Amino acid sequence: MIARATTGDQYLLGVGKADITGPVVELNFMGYASLGQIGTGLRQRLYSRAFIIGSVTNPKDRFVYLVIDTAMGDTAIRYGILQGLANLGSGYSMYNQSNVAVTGTHQHSGPGAWLNYLLPQVTSLGFSKQSYQAIVDGSVLSIQRAHQSLAPGTLSYADTNITDANINRSLYAYLQNPAEERAKYDATVDTTLTMLRFKRASDGLNTGVLCWHSVHGTSMLENNTHVTGDNKGVSSYLFEEAMKSDQSAAPGFVAAFSQSSVGDTSPNVLGTWCDATGAQCDFEHSTCGGTTQDCHGHGPEYQKLDLGVASCYEIGRRVYAGAKTLYDNFDSQATAITDPSVRFYHFFNDMQWYSFPLPNGTVVQTCPAAMGRSFAGGTTDGPGAFDFVQGDNSSMAQNPFWTVVSDLLTTPTQEQVDCQYPKPILLDVGQMHEPYDWTPNIVDIQSFRVGQLIMIISPSEATTMTGRRWKAAVAEAATSKSIVTSTPKVVLGGPANTYAHYATTPEEYNVQRYEGASTLYGQWESYAYIHLSTSSIGYLAAGAGQPAQGTLPPNNVNNSLSFIAGVVYDNPHLFTSFGDVLTQPKASYSIGDVVSASFVGANPRNNLRLEGTFAAVQQQVNGNWATVRDDHDWHLEYTWVRDDSLLGSSHVVISWETESYTTAGTYRIVYNGDAKAPITGKISAFTGTSSTFTVS
């Protein structure tokens, strides 16, 4: 018999959530690396969700697991969070380099320009302090709130399978793994959702759930320009909304859906198709007529042609539905966390020429970071440009032009070419250091343990089989070294702490699809991660110390380039004032209609309104106006439009897609803005309010 959720040791538990939404307009999005994907508004605010687990007897034995609605964890962001925690004083001194994990949900529809290294800064035109600071400050605030909520409680976990929310977008590469290994698994992607439930001891209420599930945050398409948390943002939103009326949940319940073995997953579950012909894309290379641009993955609602909005909501809903069913039946199938020890470790490892033994004893090495040609081919979630394709492991360039361009940046040494083989190197980023490092060579190696639950914190996007091998190896090491007192449960979270792109198996690497081309440190990278985790497993033993820190990576916050123009000034249209209504809503609507109003606007970069809202729907209740929708609601969309750059005029459109659960009544739309005055630069807040309308 397995232990059930009604038993288990007590831990010090805390949860917290805070807004991290950066500039929603005039800034390139992070994820697709598409120059044209510049923000024009907001569909859903972004959040940091913090979970603290600690020992009830030793205050220093605790860790923080952050799930932030960004494309990935990052070195600069993590440095900023650690400094922010240090600035809070001695009461937060137990949070440090060793025990804070910063994981990203991997959404591709949020503001960019906050990463530490040059390569991802290229399409965002450099670094934005405003974008960076929003993430750092909100993450720190979420940890503060989790810290302030710390109380004794119990933990338990359970699994469920969600089979309709992800597929393998690089199936050709996955099939290169040994047949006998693939035969151990029912699916070509990891369909498991693992839920860790936080239950407060004082009143028996649940304060949060931390879930791990693997699906790319690419439901919102490359041409979407409204900020969202993508499908994981939807899952969290739906779960947290449901908990507001659930008697088992404490007020302020936090639900996070951490990314896991995401590398080769896709939410576009209907497969890949050629736009022009309707035929399926080429299986090996994901091309149509020899190029990638026409090959796209289809989400479940792709036919709506809405930039992925409906598909995103549906994938998020499917994951939420599976998680909610598990939650509702949790006590009948969950395993309690036992063993009161809470452990963690963290160190930095330089992946340049790192030598280590494989499980069979053969000594191999990793390489300085490099991107292969198929990196530029993109994926079926977001195809690349020019004439790059996936599955290019040829030493002969498809177009010699790119060899010349690559060599202008840096020419790989023969040692690097040999080390990265069979990857044809497009960008030798690990050996490009001007004007500062293009990509990390130093990565974070980190793991947490509470009782028999071990959390691997991955700096890379692990593919399905990489994740399976990694978790199995850590479980075996934990058992053989008697780290745990019962059968270990191992989960993997990432991309975290720094962004080291992908981690494929050597078999997948050899065919050099996008994921293999983006496996920075050569074909043995995934085994290096496994070796570093298993050889460090002793640090997770009760009473163990910490490893040597290793060489710190650079912090490029204060020396990053930026070509991002600031807000010069705002002016209203002639004969109007800020907040004036340009287009009123109709007098009445039916449930299911879209209500919209437009206002004389100002640039939302003047004030991010963190923990607040740009848009609101208010309902008349007993003669008073109550806000019933705001920026955190999926179905309320805020769009900003620049009308005249010289005059500084703009307008805002707020659209409410009334939901099936909308209550009949009288409503109005409210717009909150902030205008920057010419000459003085003074920023002043204003509010616009529409006329009333009814919904029935």
Side-chain angles (χ1 to χ4, degrees):
M1 292 289 292
I2 60 172
R4 293 300 179 188
T6 52
T7 62
D9 286 288
Q10 285 199 0
Y11 305 92
L12 206 55
L13 306 178
V15 301
K17 174 184 170 184
D19 191 350
I20 61 168
T21 313
V24 301
V25 304
E26 299 187 317
L27 196 66
N28 185 251
F29 280 5
M30 179 61 212
Y32 287 113
S34 172
L35 279 166
Q37 195 183 22
I38 306 295
T40 62
L42 176 70
R43 175 170 283 275
Q44 181 188 43
R45 282 198 171 261
L46 308 178
Y47 295 96
S48 170
R49 293 174 171 88
F51 296 82
I52 300 177
I53 298 174
S55 165
V56 293
T57 57
N58 188 344
K60 291 185 177 180
D61 285 350
R62 68 178 69 168
F63 59 76
V64 181
Y65 193 104
L66 276 182
V67 181
I68 59 176
D69 286 335
T70 61
M72 63 279 295
D74 173 70
T75 300
I77 294 294
R78 190 168 186 270
Y79 272 133
I81 291 170
L82 293 175
Q83 185 60 56
L85 291 170
N87 293 343
L88 294 176
S90 60
Y92 289 81
S93 62
M94 68 286 293
Y95 306 117
N96 53 55
Q97 193 78 260
S98 297
N99 60 1
V100 176
V102 183
T103 77
T105 60
H106 205 48
Q107 54 86 351
H108 285 47
S109 53
W114 44 263
L115 286 102
N116 192 57
Y117 295 96
L118 184 62
L119 181 62
Q121 294 177 5
V122 171
T123 51
S124 65
L125 303 182
F127 190 84
S128 165
K129 284 284 183 71
Q130 185 182 40
S131 184
Y132 161 85
Q133 206 64 52
I135 299 169
V136 168
D137 291 349
S139 297
V140 172
L141 181 57
S142 71
I143 297 172
Q144 276 187 277
R145 289 171 172 167
H147 179 83
Q148 291 162 0
S149 77
L150 282 168
T154 56
L155 295 166
S156 44
Y157 69 86
D159 291 347
T160 189
N161 279 317
I162 300 173
T163 59
D164 58 354
N166 61 357
I167 63 170
N168 196 308
R169 71 183 188 188
S170 273
L171 186 57
Y172 179 81
Y174 176 86
L175 293 176
Q176 308 309 306
N177 294 304
E180 60 273 19
E181 181 180 30
R182 290 185 278 111
K184 298 176 183 177
Y185 305 100
D186 294 332
T188 59
V189 286
D190 190 346
T191 59
T192 303
L193 180 142
T194 297
M195 177 181 289
L196 181 65
R197 188 186 68 180
F198 290 60
K199 179 186 281 288
R200 196 161 56 198
S202 61
D203 55 11
L205 293 179
N206 300 323
T207 58
V209 292
L210 172 55
C211 304
W212 289 267
H213 180 255
S214 307
V215 61
H216 246 89
T218 49
S219 289
M220 298 299 295
L221 303 181
E222 190 176 342
N223 52 357
N224 161 65
T225 56
H226 284 79
V227 169
T228 80
D230 210 271
N231 51 63
K232 288 190 179 293
V234 171
S235 298
S236 287
Y237 166 70
L238 292 174
F239 208 115
E240 289 169 351
E241 289 297 300
M243 291 299 101
K244 290 178 180 178
S245 58
D246 192 305
Q247 293 185 347
S248 71
F253 186 100
V254 177
F257 289 79
S258 181
Q259 200 56 266
S260 190
S261 302
V262 63
D264 49 2
T265 66
S266 174
N268 296 313
V269 293
L270 298 186
T272 59
W273 303 85
C274 298
D275 294 339
T277 66
Q280 285 193 301
C281 303
D282 172 77
F283 179 63
E284 181 178 350
H285 300 290
S286 298
T287 55
C288 300
T291 63
T292 63
Q293 289 91 321
D294 200 36
C295 175
H296 286 92
H298 287 178
E301 302 287 345
Y302 81 97
Q303 74 281 0
K304 293 189 175 178
L305 302 178
D306 60 358
L307 310 181
V309 172
S311 287
C312 183
Y313 188 84
E314 176 59 17
I315 292 295
R317 187 204 63 78
R318 291 178 183 184
V319 175
Y320 154 73
K324 182 62 163 55
T325 298
L326 177 63
Y327 178 87
D328 290 342
N329 299 281
F330 199 79
D331 286 328
S332 66
Q333 54 193 295
T335 301
I337 301 291
T338 57
D339 173 2
S341 61
V342 177
R343 297 304 305 150
F344 47 84
Y345 71 79
H346 173 278
F347 61 93
F348 295 106
N349 191 75
D350 192 335
M351 301 295 280
Q352 299 177 98
W353 318 118
Y354 171 65
S355 295
F356 66 97
L358 294 174
N360 65 9
T362 303
V363 175
V364 295
Q365 68 177 2
T366 53
C367 326
M371 311 297 290
R373 292 199 183 102
S374 296
F375 157 74
T379 74
T380 54
D381 293 337
F386 307 107
D387 53 1
F388 294 102
V389 300
Q390 295 199 64
D392 179 7
N393 59 5
S394 169
S395 61
M396 299 298 293
Q398 290 171 287
N399 185 334
F401 169 79
W402 296 111
T403 301
V404 175
V405 171
S406 177
D407 286 349
L408 285 174
L409 297 171
T410 185
T411 302
T413 64
Q414 189 59 49
E415 184 181 19
Q416 171 75 324
V417 170
D418 293 343
C419 186
Q420 291 280 351
Y421 181 82
K423 178 194 292 177
I425 297 172
L426 174 67
L427 296 172
D428 194 19
V429 284
Q431 301 188 87
M432 294 161 63
H433 308 291
E434 298 299 334
Y436 43 92
D437 287 354
W438 281 57
T439 205
N441 283 315
I442 298 170
V443 300
D444 302 69
I445 304 299
Q446 187 175 44
S447 286
F448 295 157
R449 182 180 69 82
V450 53
Q452 73 271 37
L453 177 65
I454 297 174
M455 305 175 191
I456 301 168
I457 314 300
S458 173
S460 301
E461 296 178 50
T463 60
T464 300
M465 197 61 84
T466 290
R468 287 167 173 167
R469 292 179 185 179
W470 200 347
K471 289 184 287 186
V474 167
E476 193 280 330
T479 300
S480 65
K481 299 293 185 181
S482 301
I483 302 300
V484 293
T485 57
S486 58
T487 302
K489 174 67 175 178
V490 182
V491 294
L492 184 150
N497 295 334
T498 192
Y499 185 51
H501 294 259
Y502 284 73
T504 55
T505 67
E507 296 89 343
E508 294 162 351
Y509 181 90
N510 284 340
V511 296
Q512 282 295 295
R513 283 178 58 87
Y514 175 84
E515 294 81 12
S518 303
T519 295
L520 292 180
Y521 309 116
Q523 65 172 317
W524 302 116
E525 176 188 311
S526 61
Y527 274 104
Y529 287 156
I530 291 169
H531 173 76
L532 288 161
S533 293
T534 55
S535 62
S536 303
I537 199 74
Y539 293 111
L540 296 181
Q546 284 294 309
Q549 180 174 251
T551 302
L552 271 68
N555 184 353
N556 296 319
V557 167
N558 293 320
N559 62 304
S560 285
L561 299 172
S562 182
F563 300 94
I564 301 166
V567 179
V568 181
Y569 53 78
D570 295 286
N571 272 314
H573 302 82
L574 291 175
F575 311 115
T576 66
S577 299
F578 291 115
D580 283 358
V581 181
L582 295 173
T583 307
Q584 293 282 7
K586 296 189 301 183
S588 63
Y589 295 87
S590 297
I591 292 174
D593 290 347
V594 178
V595 182
S596 64
S598 63
F599 302 83
V600 177
N603 197 311
R605 289 197 287 156
N606 293 323
N607 181 354
L608 301 180
R609 293 193 167 262
L610 290 162
E611 301 288 313
T613 193
F614 294 119
V617 175
Q618 296 182 339
Q619 184 178 15
Q620 196 170 40
V621 181
N622 299 324
N624 298 312
W625 290 101
T627 297
V628 294
R629 304 286 188 278
D630 60 24
D631 283 353
H632 98 285
D633 287 288
W634 180 261
H635 297 284
L636 186 64
E637 184 180 72
Y638 164 94
T639 304
W640 179 81
V641 181
R642 166 67 73 199
D643 294 318
D644 191 307
S645 297
L646 183 61
L647 294 177
S649 60
S650 63
H651 72 274
V652 161
V653 179
I654 296 174
S655 301
W656 175 30
E657 301 153 0
T658 60
E659 311 91 345
S660 60
Y661 51 84
T662 301
T663 304
T666 300
Y667 294 88
R668 66 185 187 184
I669 292 177
V670 176
Y671 161 48
N672 299 307
D674 302 87
K676 184 175 184 179
I679 303 176
T680 66
K682 181 182 178 182
I683 294 175
S684 303
F686 62 88
T687 298
T689 305
S690 77
S691 58
T692 62
F693 56 92
T694 61
V695 178
S696 59

